[in-house]
């Protein structure tokens, strides 16, 4: 555990205003102004909830806040950006928020990405909404390569959030027709001095993990699991590692791929 | 039943700054220190800290998924992960002793011997202000849920009560026909206090599948969804008991805490609400204080 | 356990058009006819109608207030108002016999004799397809809640089972340590089916007062807040039983009904959700049908 | 029970659009277009809920729909108007609704006002938001006298919803300084051939009931009690009458004052 990869969160949820709500294809970007919080590290996340009417959706949910990687925290501003994909009552409610509505945030939480080992070249691999933590990491690292996979061209519009990304789509409507891991495979074959930073759906992460293991390429995976608290209180977000279960919210969400037998976390949001 | 003066309160001989503590297993002060740093200690939300259940042997806990969100509530099958008695004494206790509030250690054993070992071990530690016995577990010999059967509770207390001079709080299970009868048995067998409610047994299936969602198959229901049930059980228990009661279940506001006190609880614990905001306990205590002050003539 | 064919289902020898019925006490077909006219009969939402609990003597019910809204639920202390056996036979039964679906009469007695009288009276009425025994009441002699004690349930069934050839459904209480044990006892003593869950005991205080809100002091919790508890109890009961199970508790959607069927229920009852929309039963049945059809290869 | 005073409701809750949301002092008026429903009778009510996000407010409420008297159902239109006072999570959510938002309605429900007996002159007495059913009744009866009581001038702006009303305010900021029942007392002393139609807070209704009983004046009171269903299903809304408990939703909400020992319904919204 390297404490240095964690920026401490102010204690307690705080309310901040939404200052912009943008659409990027199928995705939403919410920007808020976090006057009282520190600048997060790439790969850290926040627990978000609407300040008002958090609940009352499908199945009378949401009830607990929801975890979101920080997409971007532009230097010299107090802005935090989040990238959201509507998949259920929590993300639906958050994506209803408009400018000046209140957002409840707790964070930054968890441990983010660490710099590459032994002068390796960073290689970012993202799938779907999982591109979020890679954007802030690219901001920090400078212009490093990114391989991004999406369902279709409409979702692939999210690729504009990173610079110079190579894109793959499942339906071939933009970029490479196929999986982003196919692009990764090419790169792993061509070069051997990279460190992979990946975030995306479990199946993609598992493919990344297996490829990197096979080629002895170090990889840091930003995982997801169902969370209730985000700060280690509930023990609900565990994932199995070589050291047993670890709470993803305090010991992750970025884990070294070498610590995982599999990146297929049971019950993780897909 | 309550001996609150202003907001300060005396509970089993322990002076507490206010009546709001945490529910066992819903706040990990050590992890919170990692997330929030020293601010946690400077602004600790609870007047006492109750640790997560400690067992003799270390436990990994249940396989994930461990959480299922409910309408106005949460269901968990965490499975009591903990470092075990030795691990707790070596690693957790020193960290928790640094907290600015008294420490209550929650323990559970699968046999009388195990509970006795735990009680003995903590009895001699001056960092520990009181012990809470989690009896929401089966007696491995008889199969009955100890906390649902007055005789089982008496049998357990007959063994462990003599082992410690520290306050013993028996944490009751709500999954019982007559919780007040169990509470009375605990009182008669020497408990210094009882706490309730623990979680109610629940279940959910995975979406688009007929399989149980939780790794542990069933889970425990908590949060606002159980608030009315908690109040009814607290009322029933307090009506029959002379010893102090720590009440919990779905507390979100000072008014919720006041209701539990109105039916007789001395302390109120905040559980699931802390997941929505780690400072929930501080807010509930402040709101309760306002209500108490506001109610004065 | 389910013998559903398409959406039609056979339950204790009764053919039903679909598996969704109403929960006792949550739909008054006679009052609904006054509010909605003939459209009620033309579009009756349930495949069978379960009447509110009938007792031997007429009952006024509990003093108001009788309702308290909960986070994602409702608490009631209605107190089983009804016209009594004679009044029901004279006034309600003819009206209910006009419904386009089979009639299940829910009965409760405070002594074995009372239950026997009720069972005998309805046994001879061909308008009645089945009887549901509400055992969520105390035995006035022993004080125990009949439905929480397997022995009490057996004693009751030993008396009433021989009195009727009609299907007897025992409606279990969820306020029991081991609901499956009670269900097993009911099956062994000759019940044709069991139904669950009834409401969970709860309580609320009046705002700005320390007094109980409900006229009956405590009340029964229902609605989405109890859904996970209902599923867990239904799962536990179905795992042990061979007879059909009618499951209920917080059902709002076809998916909720499908989950109860997935753990073994034959029929599913909609209760509190009908308060939000009298056509909830129709919607749930349609959603369930879509799920079943959708799931076919 | 006179069936003629009840217009039957279509079976099932239906969704209708909000077509206007006006403020009248402290009160809100919501108008919706109910294409599929019949014209209600004065004194009938509807169960209302927002079509979306009914829940998620204080204490994770509301959950069941809320009862509201119809304020007005203008002839020749399909409009229904409701008058709302924000007192808790249900009324708060309804008063968030804007034009084109969906409203879920069930109704018309219950039994409304009956015409005066033996050629008596109708006299309307309303308190606060309880003026609602008197407006539609005045629409039906023509210009009959109305006595309306309010907390203060801000609330008294609601009086404009009826025509030619005499107003009393608790704080004297408009009209008579005092209780509306003081105005009623004057009228009852001056005339003896009236029939009183009253709706308002329990204490007002009880005063009206007692005054009318003392002067042998017939009175019809539109009561309130906590309701879950509105159509007789839950048995929750009972009030004590000389014939025992009756369900206000199917046997009321308008009850003859002679049937009541007291109009102080336990647990009624104040
Ligand atoms: C560290 C971290 C970072 C994340 N970053 C992002 C991000 O940047 N952008 C983004 O869009 N998402 C992100 N997520 C995922 C996001 O948290 C989830 O999409 C969100 O919680 C979904 O909430 P919901 O209510 O919309 O959907 P839910 O209904 O909660 O559905 C989401 C999934 O949860 C499961 N589920 C369904 N019902 C329940 C229930 N009742 N209880 C529990 N689980 C249920 C299912 O597997 C479902 O697929 C991140 C998650 C983590 C842990
Ligand atoms: C036939 C009828 C006609 C009506 N017409 C109108 C009308 O035209 N305009 C109008 O504004 N109102 C009208 N009302 C009253 C209206 O229904 C209530 O104001 C509304 O239900 C309040 O809901 P709420 O969630 O805003 O407030 P609530 O929080 O429900 O509070 C309202 C009252 O209910 C009680 N209460 C508080 N908490 C709870 C709880 N958890 N469960 C149960 N009760 C609780 C308290 O007594 C409180 O004062 C009418 C009521 C009836 C029965
Ligand atoms: C995630 C979670 C973990 C819990 N772990 C424990 C535990 O280890 N020991 C225990 O006695 N109770 C445990 N509980 C029960 C709580 O202490 C409390 O009794 C219950 O949650 C009701 O309170 P609440 O509704 O405020 O959460 C746990 C509850 C939750 C939600
Ligand atoms: C207002 C109300 C009245 C009820 N009355 C009865 C009754 O008379 N007899 C009975 O057996 N159950 C009664 N019940 C319990 C229901 O039949 C059902 O078991 C319970 O409400 C759970 O289902 P639900 O969550 O869908 O409402 C009543 C429930 C409610 C909410
Ligand atoms: S989300 Fe609660 S411990 Fe990680
Ligand atoms: S509100 Fe349900 S019976 Fe009247």
């Amino acid at each position: 555990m390297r404490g240095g990869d964690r920026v401490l969160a102010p204690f307690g949820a705080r309310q901040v205003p939404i200052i912009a709500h943008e659409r990027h294809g199928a995705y939403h970007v919410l920007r808020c102004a976090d006057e009282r919080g520190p600048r997060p590290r790439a790969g850290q996340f926040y627990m978000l909830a609407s300040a008002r009417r958090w609940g009352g959706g499908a199945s009378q949910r949401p009830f607990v806040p929801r975890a979101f990687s920080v997409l971007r925290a532009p230097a010299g501003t107090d802005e935090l950006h989040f990238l959201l994909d509507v998949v259920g009552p929590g993300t639906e409610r958050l994506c209803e928020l408009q400018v000046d509505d209140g957002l409840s945030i707790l964070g930054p939480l968890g441990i983010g990405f660490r710099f590459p080992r032994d002068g390796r070249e960073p290689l970012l691999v993202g799938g779907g909404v999982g591109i979020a933590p890679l954007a802030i990491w690219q901001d920090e690292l400078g212009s490093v390569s990114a391989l991004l996979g999406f369902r279709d061209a409409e979702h692939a519009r999210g690729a504009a959030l990173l610079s110079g990304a190579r894109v793959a789509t499942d339906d071939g409507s933009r970029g490479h027709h196929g999986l982003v891991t196919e692009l990764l495979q090419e790169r792993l074959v061509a070069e051997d001095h990279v460190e992979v930073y990946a975030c995306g759906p479990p199946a993609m992460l598992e493919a990344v993990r297996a490829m990197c293991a096979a080629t002895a390429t170090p990889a840091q995976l930003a995982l997801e699991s169902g969370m209730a608290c985000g700060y280690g209180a509930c023990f609900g977000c565990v994932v199995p590692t070589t050291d047993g279960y670890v709470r993803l919210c305090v010991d992750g969400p970025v884990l070294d791929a070498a610590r995982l037998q599999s990146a297929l976390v049971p019950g993780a949001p897909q | 039943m309550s001996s609150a003066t202003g907001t300060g309160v005396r509970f089993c001989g322990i002076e507490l700054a206010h009546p709001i503590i945490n529910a066992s297993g819903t706040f990990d002060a050590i992890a919170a220190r990692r997330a929030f740093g020293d601010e946690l200690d400077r602004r600790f939300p609870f007047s006492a800290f109750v640790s997560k259940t400690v067992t003799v042997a270390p436990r990994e806990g249940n396989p994930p998924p461990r959480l299922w969100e409910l309408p106005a509530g949460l269901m968990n099958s965490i499975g009591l992960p903990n470092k075990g008695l030795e691990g707790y004494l070596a690693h957790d206790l020193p960290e928790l002793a640094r907290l600015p509030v008294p420490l209550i250690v929650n323990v559970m054993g699968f046999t009388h011997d195990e509970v006795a070992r735990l009680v003995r071990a903590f009895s001699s530690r001056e960092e520990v202000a009181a012990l809470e016995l989690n009896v929401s577990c089966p007696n491995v010999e008889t199969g009955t849920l100890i906390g649902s059967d007055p005789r089982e509770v008496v049998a357990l207390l007959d063994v462990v009560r003599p082992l410690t001079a520290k306050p013993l709080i028996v944490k009751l299970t709500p999954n019982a026909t007559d919780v007040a009868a169990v509470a009375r048995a605990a009182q008669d067998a020497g408990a210094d206090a009882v706490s309730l409610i623990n979680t109610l047994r629940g279940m959910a299936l995975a979406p688009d599948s007929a399989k149980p969602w939780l790794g542990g198959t069933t889970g425990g229901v908590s949060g606002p969804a159980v608030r009315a049930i908690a109040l009814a059980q607290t009322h029933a228990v307090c009506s029959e008991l002379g010893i102090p009661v720590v009440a919990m279940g779905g507390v979100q506001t000072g008014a919720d805490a006041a209701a539990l006190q109105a039916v007789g609880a001395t302390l109120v614990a905040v559980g699931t609400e802390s997941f929505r905001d780690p400072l929930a306990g501080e807010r509930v205590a402040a709101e309760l204080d306002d209500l108490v002050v506001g109610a004065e003539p």
Side-chain angles (χ1 to χ4, degrees), chain A, chain B:
Chain A
M1 210 78 35
R2 302 215 225 137
D5 306 303
R6 179 199 294 284
V7 167
L8 297 182
F11 190 30
R14 55 196 183 277
Q15 199 175 316
V16 300
I18 297 287
I19 56 169
H21 180 163
E22 299 155 9
R23 296 299 303 263
H24 287 261
Y27 303 107
H28 297 251
V29 171
L30 289 180
R31 300 186 184 200
C32 65
D34 180 25
E35 282 189 7
R36 284 166 292 157
R39 299 291 78 202
R41 297 292 298 270
Q44 286 195 293
F45 69 98
Y46 290 73
M47 297 299 283
L48 304 186
S50 57
R52 294 193 62 245
R53 220 166 275 292
W54 185 244
S59 274
Q60 264 71 43
R61 298 196 297 139
F63 173 64
V64 288
R66 297 295 192 263
F68 296 88
S69 302
V70 61
L71 166 72
R72 190 152 262 149
T77 74
D78 59 6
E79 291 187 20
L80 299 175
H81 302 190
F82 298 99
L83 182 68
L84 281 77
D85 190 16
V86 175
V87 299
T91 45
E92 177 182 293
R93 176 66 185 121
L94 289 167
C95 290
E96 284 173 9
L97 296 180
Q98 298 302 331
V99 172
D100 291 338
D101 282 342
L103 181 72
S104 165
I105 74 173
L106 178 74
L109 298 166
I111 300 174
F113 295 119
R114 289 162 303 261
F115 286 100
R117 284 154 258 216
D118 350 303
R120 285 173 181 267
E121 193 197 329
L123 175 59
L124 315 185
V125 183
V129 76
I131 64 172
L134 305 179
I136 178 172
W137 193 219
Q138 199 187 42
D139 288 348
E140 195 165 334
L141 293 174
S143 58
V144 297
S145 313
L147 311 175
L148 307 180
F150 297 95
R151 213 170 312 165
D152 51 32
E154 179 64 7
H155 285 82
R157 290 173 59 191
L161 291 161
L162 278 85
S163 64
R166 264 198 80 190
V167 170
T169 53
D170 297 351
D171 67 355
S173 54
R174 186 168 150 201
H176 171 73
H177 186 169
L179 301 174
V180 68
T181 43
E182 293 160 10
L183 301 180
L184 173 62
Q185 188 64 42
E186 287 175 22
R187 286 290 297 265
L188 292 182
V189 171
E191 304 169 62
D192 64 355
H193 212 60
V194 298
E195 176 144 358
V196 170
Y197 296 87
C199 183
M204 180 204 107
L205 287 183
E206 173 52 12
V208 171
R209 189 201 60 75
M211 283 176 191
C212 291
T215 56
T217 309
Q220 298 180 34
L221 309 182
L223 298 180
E224 290 186 14
S225 68
M227 294 188 172
C229 71
Y231 63 96
C234 74
F235 281 80
C237 61
V238 295
V239 298
T241 71
T242 50
D243 327 316
Y245 292 132
V246 301
R247 283 169 290 179
L248 205 62
C249 69
V250 283
D251 294 324
V254 176
L255 292 182
D256 218 288
R259 294 180 67 188
L260 299 172
Q261 226 108 49
S262 161
L264 294 171
V265 177
Q270 297 308 304
Chain B
M1 195 113 0
S2 164
S3 51
T5 53
T7 50
V9 58
R10 206 181 156 80
F11 170 76
C12 297
I14 313 165
E15 298 289 346
L16 301 176
H18 60 76
I20 305 299
I21 67 174
N22 68 299
S24 172
T26 64
F27 200 92
D28 177 344
I30 299 170
R33 227 183 240 139
R34 286 175 62 201
F36 307 118
D38 293 343
E39 209 185 335
L40 175 84
D41 297 273
R42 285 199 303 273
R43 203 178 165 183
F44 198 71
F46 308 108
S47 64
F49 179 71
V50 184
S51 66
K52 189 159 176 64
T53 297
V54 182
T55 53
V56 169
R59 290 170 61 90
E60 273 275 333
N62 288 333
R66 291 179 171 184
L67 298 172
W68 178 257
E69 189 179 57
L70 296 174
L74 188 71
M75 182 158 56
N76 80 80
S77 73
I78 306 300
L80 307 177
N82 76 96
K83 303 194 177 88
L85 178 57
E86 296 314 317
Y88 186 90
L89 290 173
H91 303 290
D92 293 355
L93 192 56
E95 290 271 322
L96 297 175
R98 283 170 46 206
L99 288 172
V101 298
L103 174 64
I104 298 172
V105 178
N106 178 301
V107 298
M108 194 186 88
F110 294 91
T111 61
H112 288 177
D113 262 13
E114 281 193 355
V115 185
R117 244 182 92 185
L118 290 156
V119 169
R120 245 192 245 104
F122 289 113
S123 188
S124 58
R125 304 300 298 239
E126 60 172 24
E127 304 93 318
V128 177
L131 287 169
E132 184 172 50
L133 300 184
N134 180 350
V135 293
S136 295
C137 69
N139 176 323
V140 284
E141 284 126 43
T142 64
T144 15
L145 190 68
I146 295 182
S148 69
D149 185 341
R151 283 157 308 184
E152 292 273 2
V153 169
V154 169
L156 175 64
L157 283 171
D158 282 350
V159 173
V160 301
R161 173 68 281 183
L163 302 179
T164 183
K166 291 206 195 285
L168 271 184
I169 308 162
V170 174
K171 179 151 183 191
L172 305 166
T173 168
N175 300 302
T177 304
D178 188 350
V179 178
V182 180
R184 224 183 306 115
Q187 169 176 290
D188 295 348
D192 297 290
V194 300
S195 54
L196 75 163
I197 63 173
N198 210 317
T199 54
L200 282 137
R201 206 177 301 112
M203 186 175 173
L205 301 189
D208 310 317
S209 125
K211 299 273 170 334
W213 170 263
L214 294 171
T217 307
T218 61
V221 178
S222 65
V226 308
R227 188 187 299 148
I229 297 166
L231 188 67
Q233 296 200 355
T234 302
H235 173 75
V237 164
C238 291
S239 308
E240 305 216 9
L241 252 59
I243 56 176
V245 169
V246 183
M248 68 197 92
V251 172
Q252 295 193 289
T253 65
D256 298 337
L260 290 165
Q261 289 195 321
V263 299
T266 300
L267 300 184
V268 172
V270 171
T272 303
E273 187 66 6
S274 291
F275 301 159
R276 290 163 37 108
D277 183 353
L279 275 176
E282 182 188 86
R283 178 179 52 76
V284 170
E287 288 171 356
L288 179 63
D289 196 33
D290 284 350
L291 283 175
V292 174
V293 172
E296 271 162 16

